Amino acid sequence: MKGSKRRRRTTVVVALALIAGLGATVPSHAEATYPFRDPSRTVDQRVEDLLDRLTLDEKISLLHQYQPAIPRLGIESFRTGTEALHGVAWLGETTVFPQAIGLASTWDPALMEQVGSAVGDEARGFQQERPAGWGLNLWAPVVNPLRDPRWGRNEEGYSEDPELTGALSTAYGEGLTGGDPDHLKTAPTLKHYLANNNEWHRTTTSSDLRPRVAKEYEEAAFKPAIEANAATGVMSSYNLVNGRPATVNPDLDDVVRKWTSYDLLNVTDAFAPGNLPGDQKYYPSVTEGDAAAMKAGIDSFTDNNADSSVTTGAITSALRQGLLRESDIDEAAGHILSVRVRLGEFDPGGGKYGSIDKSVINSPAHQKLAREAATEGAVLLKNQAGTLPLKKSAKDVAVVGPLADTLYTDWYSGTLPYAVTPADGIAAKLGTAVTSSEGVDRIALKNAETGRYVTAGTDADGEPLKETSTSDTSAQFDIFDWGGGVVTLRSAANGKYVGYNWANFVNDQVQPNGWYVQQQFKLEEQADGTYLLRYAGYETEEPWWGNPVYLGPTGADGTLGLVAKDAAAHYTKDVVRSGVDEAVAAVKGKDNAVVVVGSNPSINGREAHDRTDMGLAPAQEALVRAVRAANPKTVVIVENSYPTTLGALQREVPALLWTSHAGQETGNALADLLYGDANPSGRLTQTWYRSESDLPSILDYDIIKSDRTYQYFKGSPLYPFGYGLSYTSFRYGDLRKTAGGYEVKVTNTGGRTGDEVVQLYAHQRVSRDKQPLKQLEAFQRVTLKPGETRTVKLKVTRQDLAHWDVTRSRWVVESGTYDIMVGASSTDVRARTTWQVSGETIPARELSRTTRAENFDDYDGTRLVDESKERGTAVGVTADRAWLKFADARLGSGAAKFTARLAGAAGTVEVRLGSPTGILAGTATFGGTSSPYAYETVTADLSRAAKGRTDVYLVLKGEGLRLATFALD
């Protein structure tokens, strides 16, 4: 099970070999004699036996996502990649748990493990029937830290903090695996390695990771689950890291496999191998790209859907060309087979979990767990003057808003077996019907020139939109505003959404869906007050889309199609029914009004599409204000997948409750919280900013330099990391040091039982390096009855205080004073103390030794780039007079010569002391090379000023110049 290169066994079962050699048929019962089917043997022994029995072609066939059956050995087909982010997806009705961001907001590892176990059971539940897409290699969880809330896939991740992400992903993974790495329930794969937090040009943008960010932040989120054997591999991401595609990132072998002694099965993201010779243009062919990926640590190729021939052909060709050896094939196939053995595939009856059947899918126990998770993951953001909980005796309630009586699913969601909407849940809680209104306008679109209306079909399947003289409900549409100018149109005739099907616009969809989400439109107002109807399906954002995007009649019968802007129809937007007026009428005089607003997870940020607008849709914000004015006893539920800039709305409403799109039990969970049958206990796992202006570019991955996340952010957030209110209150005692960390007494001082999430943060007062303002080191969720006091123990070790020392490329704990803070959020500190730590003092840099340029302390005008296609990071110049700072260097009595390895464009490197414009100690001139990977060594004499202890700056001139290493001696 070791990750080191395996040596193939040469021994065989002689009798079976003789039989096979004579061409005789092996009796079916002979299968039982194969050592790879013997559970009493070690995993390594079983894998080696099976490898010895496979032909080279059979081993190569295992390296694609769709691994074929091998009938002669009684081996069934195997497929990597069942999606299981918050329930099993795409296989039919299953328990749908809250989105990952909602699960994480519980801050409850025990619950996460229960949910993971339930999801693992349901994945196993499909095994007797093996529907298309089924497999026990699960692609979950997503552990990319959520450094930027605009990331389109924010809903898939856990937190902006690596400690919290690591703890929760480990718990979820242990549930999925069953907790025994030798006998796996399922084989989870962590997504997406590494630094994958933007969807904009995601296959061609490079994430710059200076060593500290890579070690302290990005890798730190992935390591815990692998180290705990709660995951069986990673998926490489689409993006480049420091100029090198993640598909060929050598860290897959050099770093990730070192975190565990078990074999890992590393996979590529879908179609990523084809990107290497494709839009990334990193290798000239699939053959060279696939070979490089295998050398880097990829075992399984996700490419060309179920057609494995391209991959197997490329690997076979790579062997012929000498780019791969058979031992490379054995290594990758061995990793795959190790996981398959541990899944019990070759055990009698399918092993430990082989008897699980479909009866577990959406079982009553899992439904109850889904409700618990949805309840725990909701966060109470505001509760002015005890507005919540509501009284059950006040039964005359209106539930309004675009999400009041519907549940939306996301791209990686399973199929809902049932849906309890907020209105349903509240009605069930009160035992009576509630008044409901979506609060959206119903409109008619009339051609300003012809007077004809846009009409839709009245049957369940809908019909292509046409312009006709009809003006009844077939010409009416409910218009939903999702922000950013995007709306959806739902036909009043049949209750279905209008979408494009590559030929027509048809009202035939239950809700927006699909990869391109072809139910999106924009109404563009013109100077004369008319509107152009623009099609805004996601495919129109693709570079290959060359068709017009405006709607107008294209057929003799008035059928609408796509036309150029100058041929687009001009429509008047006639409001048949005002959504705001309807909602206001619904809430007037009611005991309470509940407004449910938020996002559509197919539209407001999702895979391949980052958010550009962090606020509520304008129409939704206007709805809340109107309802609040009509009924002061208004509660607002924000149901979305990310932090939101709520603006003035946050100040105006008395109570705010946030939930993710929380699955089938959303309505019951919200009702439990609103009416006090459950006490809110969720906590935010990300900073909620006041404005997009608080954030740098989404492509800026340097959280240290750009002051990102709660660790470095110096502004005032709308809501801080770790924040969440309760219906009760908690008092903290003094913080005390113990042998294993710290302890603090926490008392429930309110009148209700409640859960507190006790959070411990550390801050290093003095350091050679820039340190976080606060950093989460431990947390614990505790349940306390009224008046109950509990001593909460928080494990913190000296090593937890370490950071990455770029001067020596290793972890270091510096001597000094550390502030230790405990409280209810990252800003709500209730008790503090100091820890005098005896550690190290980072010595002055010894630049006389060869220093890697990437190990700078600060920089300007540079990018991190690939030193070679195989490995290494260099620094590339992107602006005139770029510079790198190497702080606190010891030059002694004097350094006489500067030596550097340079590649790429011609330029110069100035050695300056004290600042980028400080004393010039020397200049090296470089004539350039024909390739950015062809390095040459240049030297320069240094002046007598290059001595003592000082900050050394390298000022780089020549865009395209690359610096790999240097020395001053």
Side-chain angles (χ1 to χ4, degrees), residues 581-782:
D581 289 350
E582 183 185 74
V584 166
V587 303
K588 275 187 175 178
K590 299 298 183 183
D591 294 332
N592 296 111
V594 178
V595 190
V596 191
V597 293
S599 72
N600 184 310
S602 290
I603 294 171
N604 298 103
R606 51 151 287 178
E607 183 172 0
H609 298 278
D610 293 318
R611 284 197 300 150
T612 56
D613 185 345
M614 291 172 60
L616 279 180
Q620 294 188 29
E621 193 163 336
L623 173 69
V624 172
R625 285 199 170 92
V627 169
R628 162 70 172 154
N631 189 329
K633 292 179 285 187
T634 293
V635 174
V636 176
I637 295 172
V638 178
E639 184 179 340
N640 62 20
S641 316
Y642 40 71
T644 305
T645 52
L646 295 174
L649 203 63
Q650 185 268 346
R651 298 190 299 272
E652 294 171 7
V653 299
L656 272 171
L657 181 68
W658 174 84
T659 178
S660 70
H661 294 279
Q664 63 202 54
E665 287 286 340
T666 297
N668 283 331
L670 291 174
D672 288 344
L673 291 163
L674 291 175
Y675 287 92
D677 288 334
N679 194 340
S681 58
R683 301 292 185 267
L684 298 179
T685 67
Q686 291 176 272
T687 302
W688 282 43
Y689 297 97
R690 295 182 182 276
S691 168
E692 288 91 340
S693 64
D694 287 331
L695 295 166
S697 165
I698 195 172
L699 301 180
D700 182 349
Y701 279 74
D702 190 347
I703 68 164
I704 298 174
K705 187 176 178 71
S706 58
D707 295 330
R708 295 180 80 101
T709 81
Y710 81 94
Q711 291 187 15
Y712 295 96
F713 181 59
K714 297 174 183 176
S716 174
L718 181 67
Y719 294 113
F721 173 82
Y723 174 84
L725 301 177
S726 170
Y727 292 155
T728 190
S729 55
F730 300 94
R731 183 180 66 241
Y732 285 63
D734 293 335
L735 188 59
R736 300 181 183 278
K737 186 80 174 70
T738 67
Y742 287 86
E743 64 179 27
V744 62
K745 290 184 177 179
V746 180
T747 302
N748 183 342
T749 54
R752 292 174 178 268
T753 296
D755 285 12
E756 174 71 323
V757 179
V758 182
Q759 303 162 43
L760 185 143
Y761 297 86
H763 167 68
Q764 185 176 346
R765 287 188 180 179
V766 178
S767 172
R768 178 198 181 279
D769 302 308
K770 182 178 179 179
Q771 291 296 326
L773 303 172
K774 291 188 183 76
Q775 186 165 356
L776 182 70
E777 300 292 353
F779 65 93
Q780 188 174 340
R781 183 181 174 116
V782 293

Side-chain angles (χ1 to χ4, degrees), residues 679-941:
N679 194 340
S681 58
R683 301 292 185 267
L684 298 179
T685 67
Q686 291 176 272
T687 302
W688 282 43
Y689 297 97
R690 295 182 182 276
S691 168
E692 288 91 340
S693 64
D694 287 331
L695 295 166
S697 165
I698 195 172
L699 301 180
D700 182 349
Y701 279 74
D702 190 347
I703 68 164
I704 298 174
K705 187 176 178 71
S706 58
D707 295 330
R708 295 180 80 101
T709 81
Y710 81 94
Q711 291 187 15
Y712 295 96
F713 181 59
K714 297 174 183 176
S716 174
L718 181 67
Y719 294 113
F721 173 82
Y723 174 84
L725 301 177
S726 170
Y727 292 155
T728 190
S729 55
F730 300 94
R731 183 180 66 241
Y732 285 63
D734 293 335
L735 188 59
R736 300 181 183 278
K737 186 80 174 70
T738 67
Y742 287 86
E743 64 179 27
V744 62
K745 290 184 177 179
V746 180
T747 302
N748 183 342
T749 54
R752 292 174 178 268
T753 296
D755 285 12
E756 174 71 323
V757 179
V758 182
Q759 303 162 43
L760 185 143
Y761 297 86
H763 167 68
Q764 185 176 346
R765 287 188 180 179
V766 178
S767 172
R768 178 198 181 279
D769 302 308
K770 182 178 179 179
Q771 291 296 326
L773 303 172
K774 291 188 183 76
Q775 186 165 356
L776 182 70
E777 300 292 353
F779 65 93
Q780 188 174 340
R781 183 181 174 116
V782 293
T783 303
L784 297 172
K785 297 176 182 177
E788 182 182 2
T789 298
R790 182 176 301 178
T791 299
V792 179
K793 298 181 182 297
L794 299 155
K795 182 180 178 182
V796 184
T797 68
R798 180 177 168 278
Q799 192 57 34
D800 292 332
L801 305 177
H803 75 277
W804 188 254
D805 173 19
V806 294
T807 71
R808 296 171 294 174
S809 294
R810 66 176 178 83
W811 292 99
V812 61
V813 177
E814 290 182 279
S815 295
T817 301
Y818 292 74
D819 292 313
I820 306 299
M821 300 156 279
V822 68
S825 80
S826 58
T827 61
D828 186 3
V829 174
R830 306 291 184 87
R832 65 174 65 226
T833 188
T834 58
W835 186 1
Q836 300 299 323
V837 175
S838 177
E840 297 182 63
T841 298
I842 298 175
R845 281 186 181 269
E846 293 289 349
L847 296 183
S848 60
R849 296 193 293 260
T850 298
T851 297
R852 296 202 61 80
E854 65 179 309
N855 285 326
F856 51 72
D857 290 294
D858 200 0
Y859 60 97
D860 186 63
T862 63
R863 292 292 307 267
L864 292 170
V865 295
D866 49 338
E867 182 178 1
S868 72
K869 285 185 179 289
E870 292 74 33
R871 62 186 62 249
T873 297
V875 174
V877 177
T878 60
D880 187 43
R881 295 198 64 80
W883 54 261
L884 301 173
K885 177 183 179 182
F886 297 87
D888 190 26
R890 182 187 290 115
L891 302 183
S893 59
K897 185 173 71 173
F898 171 70
T899 305
R901 287 179 63 245
L902 300 169
T908 61
V909 182
E910 297 177 353
V911 180
R912 291 186 175 269
L913 309 178
S915 78
T917 57
I919 297 172
L920 177 63
T923 301
T925 301
F926 177 57
T929 57
S930 59
S931 166
Y933 305 120
Y935 285 85
E936 292 182 357
T937 299
V938 299
T939 62
D941 293 333

Side-chain angles (χ1 to χ4, degrees), residues 101-123:
I101 186 67
L103 290 173
S105 298
T106 68
W107 289 61
D108 191 341
L111 179 66
M112 292 289 287
E113 184 172 352
Q114 286 181 274
V115 172
S117 182
V119 175
D121 283 348
E122 297 201 8

Side-chain angles (χ1 to χ4, degrees), residues 261-339:
S261 62
Y262 280 81
D263 275 342
L264 298 179
L265 164 52
N266 293 334
V267 307
T268 73
D269 210 332
F271 301 100
N275 291 335
L276 291 169
D279 56 6
Q280 292 171 341
K281 296 179 174 58
Y282 204 71
Y283 287 100
S285 69
V286 175
T287 295
E288 289 167 289
D290 283 7
M294 283 192 65
K295 288 287 192 181
I298 290 295
D299 304 306
S300 177
F301 292 81
T302 315
D303 210 5
N304 302 293
N305 294 319
D307 179 8
S308 62
S309 64
V310 176
T311 295
T312 57
I315 292 171
T316 301
S317 178
L319 281 167
R320 285 199 304 265
Q321 296 178 41
L323 300 175
L324 292 173
R325 297 174 298 177
E326 187 171 352
S327 60
D328 296 318
I329 308 302
D330 287 349
E331 184 70 16
H335 295 152
I336 294 165
L337 292 174
S338 173
V339 169

